[in-house]
Amino acid sequence: MASEIKFGTDGWRGVIAWDFTFENVRRMAQALADYINENAPGEEGSKAPKIFVGYDRRFMSDLFAADIASIFRANKIDVTLSASPISSPVAACLSLSKCWMSIMVTASHNPANYNGIKIKLAGGSAPARVTKEVEELLDQNSVLLLYGQKADKKDVTDVYLKYVASHINAKKLKTFKGKVVMDYMYGAAAGYLEKFLPEKQVIALRAEHDPTFGGEQPEPVEKNLTELKKTVVAKKAALGVAFDGDGDRVALIDEKGTYLTPCVIAAVLCDYFIKHKKLDGKIVQTVSMGYLLKRIAHKHEMLFEEVGVGFKNVAERMNLDDVAFGVEESGGFAWKGNLPDRDGLTVALAFLDIMAQTGKKASELCAEVAEEYGASVYMRRDLPLAKPVDKGVMAEKMRKKLPKKINGQRIAETLTFDGLKIIFENDEWLLLRPSGTEPLLRVYAETATKKGTQALLDFGEKLMAPYVK
């Protein structure tokens, strides 16, 4: 019996040689081919829409991608295969400008023994309705793989780099004279920042190709960025930047070696764009984000909406509504006029541009946001999941166990559409949910102090104890 294939928060992922096998990838490729042939625009006799297949630096990603492209060709699909490893934003950009759909072989920030597949449509992650249809097409037709049906290969990175260059103030960026420490985490976006800043200003870490990611998980969260923080301080750099394995997530370190949370980065970017770029529309964030954007939206009389975790949910809103700014907690940011998808390079360049425009240090920009909208200490704690759980059932069970007050604070509201989010009367909050990409339970919290945030995380961990391994 064939193993089950399911899309998670952003794509289908599995352990290489266990879940992510050539057999399963070929099954997925045929389902994608069937979806493309059933749904791609075009009338009979007209030119078929173009499809792009890309891959990152992970173990055997190039071979998996070649198989997918070959199956597409056998199904009479006009497909182009990347000639080299690329970041996911490159694939997203191609789906916006050159192709109807892009398929990206990557497991993003997952450990090295994982690989996966992402679908990009209209410049962003495919919405749940698309991935559900692809799942339903699995095994409906036999895999059509004709050996010798190799796809044309093309280097497409320049298309993306030109797109990024057209959306930044390159002239002003040239006035930025500080050093930037760039931690590529051995990922596919290595070398991208040097296309926009002189090489003498960029101190690159972990830029070489290593499919084991140096034995660490290529996720730009604080615990994985010790060397980056040390290097920023030692080299007296103006900013530290880290990308994840496929270059769509980003983390920033200020000149003091302080990790900037996604909540703070989002607030700096969004507030600046509203005040200086006249950005307008709705602000959308995932339920795992904090209260700063909510306060910014309120002050500027903008609509505000929370959606489920996963940037695909933000991207879907950006394609349907007039969204000014969208963000998720895992280092994914987007705003009107750019790709409706995560793009680490664009975020890093935008932050550097703000520093150049204002002449202020990263820490000063963050301090200004805190003074205007309040302090934010945001943390996440990951716990090993004992066994798969139904997210909705788990959230409802935990909600019923809640006291009226937690750590002396009265609960103002609870949300259960993606885990259990507990919001207090002062906007501080706690979120409990199973990960959609890894066998983990995640506990998130945000308060105005480190002590308060850790106390909420402790409470959440105790509440999640029955589900922890």
Side-chain angles (χ1 to χ4, degrees), residues 11-44:
W12 163 54
R13 299 177 198 178
V15 176
I16 299 170
W18 185 262
D19 308 298
F20 201 86
T21 63
F22 277 102
E23 179 187 3
N24 285 338
V25 169
R26 290 167 182 172
R27 290 169 59 211
M28 173 59 73
Q30 185 61 50
L32 286 165
D34 292 339
Y35 178 86
I36 292 164
N37 282 329
E38 288 181 14
N39 294 276
E43 298 178 0
E44 189 174 345

Side-chain angles (χ1 to χ4, degrees), residues 191-236:
Y192 285 11
L193 188 66
E194 289 88 332
K195 301 295 183 180
F196 297 89
L197 290 177
E199 287 192 22
K200 64 181 181 181
Q201 284 182 250
V202 180
I203 302 167
L205 305 177
R206 299 192 280 188
E208 59 270 31
H209 188 164
D210 179 0
T212 71
F213 302 107
E216 293 187 8
Q217 187 167 344
E219 182 178 16
V221 292
E222 186 172 12
K223 66 179 182 179
N224 297 334
L225 302 176
T226 302
E227 189 62 29
L228 175 59
K229 292 197 287 185
K230 289 180 179 178
T231 306
V232 167
V233 175
K235 299 294 184 179
K236 297 181 180 180

Side-chain angles (χ1 to χ4, degrees), residues 234-284:
K235 299 294 184 179
K236 297 181 180 180
L239 192 70
V241 182
F243 295 155
D244 72 337
D246 67 331
D248 58 1
R249 300 185 181 202
V250 64
L252 300 180
I253 306 295
D254 74 12
E255 77 284 356
K256 299 177 182 179
T258 302
Y259 170 78
L260 306 183
T261 69
C263 299
V264 171
I265 296 170
V268 171
L269 292 171
C270 189
D271 188 58
Y272 182 86
F273 293 154
I274 292 169
K275 291 176 178 176
H276 300 280
K277 305 284 188 180
K278 307 302 179 185
L279 191 71
D280 62 355
K282 181 189 290 187
I283 295 176
V284 177

